[in-house]
Amino acid sequence: MEPFVALVVGFCSARLAGLLGVSALDAWHPALCVGLAVMFLLTALAHFHPSLRADLIGMVPPRLPRPDLLVTLTGGLEIAGAIGLLVPALSRWAAAGLALLMIGMFPANVSAARRQVAQGDPLGRRTVFQAVYVGAATLVVL
């Protein structure tokens, strides 16, 4: 739920700034880029925060090697993507990459829900939120 709140608050704050005169944010597209960037920075922090990192490592399906390295890699990709979203020339590419990353990581959510190893939303709710996030990234790409 926290990533969704970050997305909405980031988007609304950026859109409001645009309406108040920040010309770079005076449209839905750049405001959505800011919302997604805020969301991905929040989720990336979980990859490195000691108390949250263990849960993310536990979500990695057991058949994959080096879950700690995979969590570090995906966190780094989320940070890079968030930065890319804030660079107009890169925003569409960053959004496409992040959408693919979310789709690629979704099996970990399914695996974690089936193994009941991670805290958070049940699989049905996670699926809905994931569709919203991928949809938002896709809107940036278009």
Side-chain angles (χ1 to χ4, degrees), residues 43-79:
T43 59
L45 290 176
H47 289 74
F48 303 102
H49 191 278
S51 65
L52 302 172
R53 182 174 170 80
D55 283 343
L56 292 177
I57 290 170
M59 287 179 66
V60 176
R63 68 183 177 279
L64 296 178
R66 296 290 313 269
D68 57 332
L69 182 60
L70 291 173
V71 168
T72 300
L73 177 64
T74 56
L77 290 171
E78 288 180 6
I79 291 169

Short mmCIF file of all heavy atoms in Angstrom, two decimals, residues 43-79:
data_model
loop_
_atom_site.label_atom_id
_atom_site.label_comp_id
_atom_site.label_asym_id
_atom_site.label_seq_id
_atom_site.Cartn_x
_atom_site.Cartn_y
_atom_site.Cartn_z
N THR A 43 10.44 2.11 -2.95
CA THR A 43 10.57 0.66 -3.01
C THR A 43 12.04 0.24 -3.08
O THR A 43 12.42 -0.79 -2.53
CB THR A 43 9.79 0.05 -4.19
OG1 THR A 43 10.26 0.60 -5.42
CG2 THR A 43 8.29 0.31 -4.05
N ALA A 44 12.87 1.04 -3.74
CA ALA A 44 14.30 0.71 -3.81
C ALA A 44 14.95 0.77 -2.44
O ALA A 44 15.82 -0.05 -2.12
CB ALA A 44 15.01 1.66 -4.77
N LEU A 45 14.52 1.70 -1.61
CA LEU A 45 15.09 1.80 -0.27
C LEU A 45 14.88 0.51 0.52
O LEU A 45 15.74 0.12 1.31
CB LEU A 45 14.50 2.99 0.48
CG LEU A 45 14.92 4.36 -0.03
CD1 LEU A 45 14.19 5.46 0.72
CD2 LEU A 45 16.42 4.55 0.06
N ALA A 46 13.76 -0.15 0.29
CA ALA A 46 13.49 -1.41 0.99
C ALA A 46 14.53 -2.47 0.65
O ALA A 46 14.81 -3.35 1.46
CB ALA A 46 12.09 -1.91 0.65
N HIS A 47 15.11 -2.37 -0.54
CA HIS A 47 16.11 -3.35 -0.96
C HIS A 47 17.40 -3.24 -0.15
O HIS A 47 18.20 -4.18 -0.13
CB HIS A 47 16.44 -3.18 -2.45
CG HIS A 47 15.34 -3.61 -3.36
ND1 HIS A 47 14.19 -2.88 -3.53
CD2 HIS A 47 15.21 -4.68 -4.16
CE1 HIS A 47 13.41 -3.49 -4.39
NE2 HIS A 47 14.00 -4.60 -4.79
N PHE A 48 17.60 -2.10 0.48
CA PHE A 48 18.85 -1.86 1.19
C PHE A 48 18.67 -1.62 2.69
O PHE A 48 19.64 -1.64 3.42
CB PHE A 48 19.57 -0.66 0.56
CG PHE A 48 19.83 -0.87 -0.91
CD1 PHE A 48 19.03 -0.27 -1.86
CD2 PHE A 48 20.85 -1.71 -1.34
CE1 PHE A 48 19.25 -0.48 -3.22
CE2 PHE A 48 21.07 -1.94 -2.68
CZ PHE A 48 20.28 -1.32 -3.63
N HIS A 49 17.45 -1.41 3.13
CA HIS A 49 17.19 -1.19 4.56
C HIS A 49 17.27 -2.54 5.28
O HIS A 49 16.58 -3.49 4.91
CB HIS A 49 15.80 -0.57 4.77
CG HIS A 49 15.56 -0.09 6.14
ND1 HIS A 49 15.17 -0.92 7.16
CD2 HIS A 49 15.69 1.15 6.68
CE1 HIS A 49 15.04 -0.22 8.26
NE2 HIS A 49 15.35 1.05 8.00
N PRO A 50 18.10 -2.64 6.32
CA PRO A 50 18.35 -3.95 6.95
C PRO A 50 17.10 -4.71 7.39
O PRO A 50 17.01 -5.91 7.17
CB PRO A 50 19.23 -3.59 8.15
CG PRO A 50 19.87 -2.30 7.80
CD PRO A 50 18.89 -1.57 6.93
N SER A 51 16.13 -4.02 7.97
CA SER A 51 14.97 -4.76 8.47
C SER A 51 14.01 -5.18 7.36
O SER A 51 13.20 -6.09 7.56
CB SER A 51 14.23 -3.93 9.52
OG SER A 51 13.69 -2.76 8.93
N LEU A 52 14.07 -4.55 6.20
CA LEU A 52 13.18 -4.90 5.09
C LEU A 52 13.86 -5.81 4.07
O LEU A 52 13.19 -6.59 3.39
CB LEU A 52 12.69 -3.62 4.40
CG LEU A 52 11.94 -2.63 5.29
CD1 LEU A 52 11.68 -1.34 4.54
CD2 LEU A 52 10.64 -3.25 5.79
N ARG A 53 15.16 -5.70 3.98
CA ARG A 53 15.93 -6.47 3.00
C ARG A 53 15.74 -7.99 3.17
O ARG A 53 15.58 -8.72 2.20
CB ARG A 53 17.40 -6.10 3.11
CG ARG A 53 18.29 -6.78 2.11
CD ARG A 53 19.71 -6.24 2.19
NE ARG A 53 20.63 -7.04 1.42
CZ ARG A 53 20.78 -6.96 0.11
NH1 ARG A 53 20.06 -6.11 -0.59
NH2 ARG A 53 21.65 -7.74 -0.53
N ALA A 54 15.72 -8.44 4.43
CA ALA A 54 15.56 -9.88 4.68
C ALA A 54 14.25 -10.39 4.10
O ALA A 54 14.20 -11.50 3.54
CB ALA A 54 15.65 -10.16 6.17
N ASP A 55 13.17 -9.60 4.23
CA ASP A 55 11.89 -10.02 3.66
C ASP A 55 11.97 -10.13 2.14
O ASP A 55 11.43 -11.07 1.55
CB ASP A 55 10.78 -9.03 4.03
CG ASP A 55 10.31 -9.19 5.46
OD1 ASP A 55 10.58 -10.25 6.08
OD2 ASP A 55 9.66 -8.26 5.97
N LEU A 56 12.64 -9.17 1.52
CA LEU A 56 12.76 -9.20 0.06
C LEU A 56 13.61 -10.38 -0.40
O LEU A 56 13.29 -11.03 -1.40
CB LEU A 56 13.33 -7.89 -0.46
CG LEU A 56 12.40 -6.68 -0.31
CD1 LEU A 56 13.09 -5.41 -0.78
CD2 LEU A 56 11.11 -6.89 -1.07
N ILE A 57 14.67 -10.65 0.33
CA ILE A 57 15.50 -11.82 0.00
C ILE A 57 14.67 -13.10 0.13
O ILE A 57 14.77 -14.00 -0.70
CB ILE A 57 16.76 -11.86 0.88
CG1 ILE A 57 17.71 -10.72 0.47
CG2 ILE A 57 17.48 -13.21 0.77
CD1 ILE A 57 18.88 -10.50 1.40
N GLY A 58 13.84 -13.15 1.15
CA GLY A 58 12.97 -14.31 1.35
C GLY A 58 11.93 -14.49 0.25
O GLY A 58 11.42 -15.59 0.05
N MET A 59 11.60 -13.41 -0.46
CA MET A 59 10.61 -13.48 -1.53
C MET A 59 11.17 -14.13 -2.79
O MET A 59 10.41 -14.64 -3.62
CB MET A 59 10.10 -12.09 -1.88
CG MET A 59 9.18 -11.48 -0.86
SD MET A 59 8.65 -9.82 -1.34
CE MET A 59 7.69 -10.18 -2.82
N VAL A 60 12.47 -14.09 -2.95
CA VAL A 60 13.08 -14.63 -4.17
C VAL A 60 12.82 -16.14 -4.22
O VAL A 60 13.06 -16.85 -3.25
CB VAL A 60 14.60 -14.34 -4.20
CG1 VAL A 60 15.25 -14.99 -5.42
CG2 VAL A 60 14.86 -12.84 -4.19
N PRO A 61 12.30 -16.62 -5.34
CA PRO A 61 12.04 -18.06 -5.45
C PRO A 61 13.30 -18.87 -5.15
O PRO A 61 14.40 -18.51 -5.60
CB PRO A 61 11.60 -18.23 -6.90
CG PRO A 61 11.02 -16.90 -7.27
CD PRO A 61 11.87 -15.90 -6.54
N PRO A 62 13.17 -19.97 -4.39
CA PRO A 62 14.33 -20.76 -3.96
C PRO A 62 15.20 -21.29 -5.10
O PRO A 62 16.39 -21.51 -4.92
CB PRO A 62 13.72 -21.92 -3.18
CG PRO A 62 12.34 -21.50 -2.85
CD PRO A 62 11.92 -20.50 -3.87
N ARG A 63 14.63 -21.48 -6.27
CA ARG A 63 15.40 -22.05 -7.38
C ARG A 63 16.37 -21.04 -8.00
O ARG A 63 17.23 -21.41 -8.79
CB ARG A 63 14.47 -22.61 -8.44
CG ARG A 63 13.68 -21.56 -9.19
CD ARG A 63 12.71 -22.18 -10.18
NE ARG A 63 11.91 -21.19 -10.83
CZ ARG A 63 10.83 -20.63 -10.33
NH1 ARG A 63 10.39 -20.99 -9.14
NH2 ARG A 63 10.16 -19.72 -11.01
N LEU A 64 16.24 -19.75 -7.66
CA LEU A 64 17.13 -18.74 -8.21
C LEU A 64 18.38 -18.60 -7.35
O LEU A 64 18.29 -18.59 -6.12
CB LEU A 64 16.42 -17.39 -8.33
CG LEU A 64 15.24 -17.34 -9.29
CD1 LEU A 64 14.59 -15.97 -9.28
CD2 LEU A 64 15.68 -17.71 -10.70
N PRO A 65 19.53 -18.44 -7.98
CA PRO A 65 20.77 -18.33 -7.21
C PRO A 65 20.95 -16.92 -6.63
O PRO A 65 20.40 -15.96 -7.14
CB PRO A 65 21.86 -18.60 -8.26
CG PRO A 65 21.24 -18.13 -9.54
CD PRO A 65 19.76 -18.43 -9.42
N ARG A 66 21.71 -16.85 -5.56
CA ARG A 66 22.12 -15.59 -4.95
C ARG A 66 20.98 -14.59 -4.76
O ARG A 66 20.98 -13.49 -5.32
CB ARG A 66 23.22 -14.93 -5.76
CG ARG A 66 24.53 -15.68 -5.85
CD ARG A 66 25.31 -15.72 -4.54
NE ARG A 66 25.44 -14.47 -3.84
CZ ARG A 66 26.42 -13.60 -3.97
NH1 ARG A 66 27.40 -13.86 -4.80
NH2 ARG A 66 26.45 -12.49 -3.28
N PRO A 67 19.98 -14.92 -3.95
CA PRO A 67 18.86 -14.00 -3.75
C PRO A 67 19.31 -12.63 -3.23
O PRO A 67 18.72 -11.62 -3.58
CB PRO A 67 17.96 -14.71 -2.75
CG PRO A 67 18.63 -15.97 -2.39
CD PRO A 67 19.83 -16.15 -3.22
N ASP A 68 20.36 -12.60 -2.41
CA ASP A 68 20.85 -11.32 -1.90
C ASP A 68 21.35 -10.43 -3.04
O ASP A 68 21.06 -9.23 -3.08
CB ASP A 68 21.95 -11.54 -0.86
CG ASP A 68 23.12 -12.36 -1.41
OD1 ASP A 68 22.92 -13.19 -2.33
OD2 ASP A 68 24.25 -12.17 -0.91
N LEU A 69 22.06 -11.02 -3.99
CA LEU A 69 22.56 -10.27 -5.13
C LEU A 69 21.41 -9.81 -6.03
O LEU A 69 21.42 -8.68 -6.54
CB LEU A 69 23.55 -11.12 -5.93
CG LEU A 69 24.20 -10.45 -7.13
CD1 LEU A 69 24.99 -9.22 -6.70
CD2 LEU A 69 25.11 -11.44 -7.85
N LEU A 70 20.41 -10.66 -6.22
CA LEU A 70 19.25 -10.29 -7.03
C LEU A 70 18.50 -9.11 -6.41
O LEU A 70 18.05 -8.21 -7.12
CB LEU A 70 18.32 -11.49 -7.21
CG LEU A 70 18.88 -12.62 -8.08
CD1 LEU A 70 17.96 -13.83 -8.05
CD2 LEU A 70 19.07 -12.14 -9.51
N VAL A 71 18.36 -9.11 -5.09
CA VAL A 71 17.67 -8.01 -4.41
C VAL A 71 18.48 -6.72 -4.57
O VAL A 71 17.92 -5.65 -4.83
CB VAL A 71 17.40 -8.35 -2.93
CG1 VAL A 71 16.97 -7.14 -2.14
CG2 VAL A 71 16.34 -9.45 -2.84
N THR A 72 19.78 -6.81 -4.43
CA THR A 72 20.64 -5.64 -4.62
C THR A 72 20.53 -5.13 -6.05
O THR A 72 20.39 -3.91 -6.29
CB THR A 72 22.10 -5.97 -4.28
OG1 THR A 72 22.17 -6.38 -2.92
CG2 THR A 72 23.01 -4.78 -4.51
N LEU A 73 20.57 -6.03 -7.02
CA LEU A 73 20.49 -5.66 -8.43
C LEU A 73 19.16 -4.98 -8.75
O LEU A 73 19.13 -3.93 -9.40
CB LEU A 73 20.69 -6.90 -9.31
CG LEU A 73 20.56 -6.68 -10.82
CD1 LEU A 73 21.67 -5.76 -11.32
CD2 LEU A 73 20.62 -8.02 -11.54
N THR A 74 18.07 -5.57 -8.30
CA THR A 74 16.76 -4.98 -8.60
C THR A 74 16.59 -3.63 -7.91
O THR A 74 16.01 -2.71 -8.47
CB THR A 74 15.60 -5.93 -8.26
OG1 THR A 74 15.69 -6.31 -6.88
CG2 THR A 74 15.61 -7.17 -9.15
N GLY A 75 17.13 -3.50 -6.71
CA GLY A 75 17.08 -2.20 -6.03
C GLY A 75 17.86 -1.15 -6.81
O GLY A 75 17.40 -0.01 -6.96
N GLY A 76 19.02 -1.53 -7.29
CA GLY A 76 19.82 -0.61 -8.10
C GLY A 76 19.11 -0.22 -9.40
O GLY A 76 19.14 0.95 -9.81
N LEU A 77 18.46 -1.18 -10.03
CA LEU A 77 17.71 -0.89 -11.25
C LEU A 77 16.54 0.04 -10.96
O LEU A 77 16.22 0.92 -11.78
CB LEU A 77 17.23 -2.19 -11.90
CG LEU A 77 18.32 -3.05 -12.53
CD1 LEU A 77 17.76 -4.41 -12.95
CD2 LEU A 77 18.95 -2.34 -13.71
N GLU A 78 15.90 -0.14 -9.82
CA GLU A 78 14.80 0.76 -9.45
C GLU A 78 15.30 2.19 -9.24
O GLU A 78 14.65 3.15 -9.66
CB GLU A 78 14.07 0.24 -8.21
CG GLU A 78 13.24 -0.99 -8.49
CD GLU A 78 12.51 -1.50 -7.26
OE1 GLU A 78 12.54 -0.84 -6.20
OE2 GLU A 78 11.90 -2.58 -7.37
N ILE A 79 16.45 2.34 -8.61
CA ILE A 79 17.02 3.68 -8.41
C ILE A 79 17.39 4.30 -9.76
O ILE A 79 17.06 5.46 -10.04
CB ILE A 79 18.24 3.62 -7.48
CG1 ILE A 79 17.79 3.27 -6.06
CG2 ILE A 79 19.00 4.95 -7.50
CD1 ILE A 79 18.93 2.94 -5.10
#
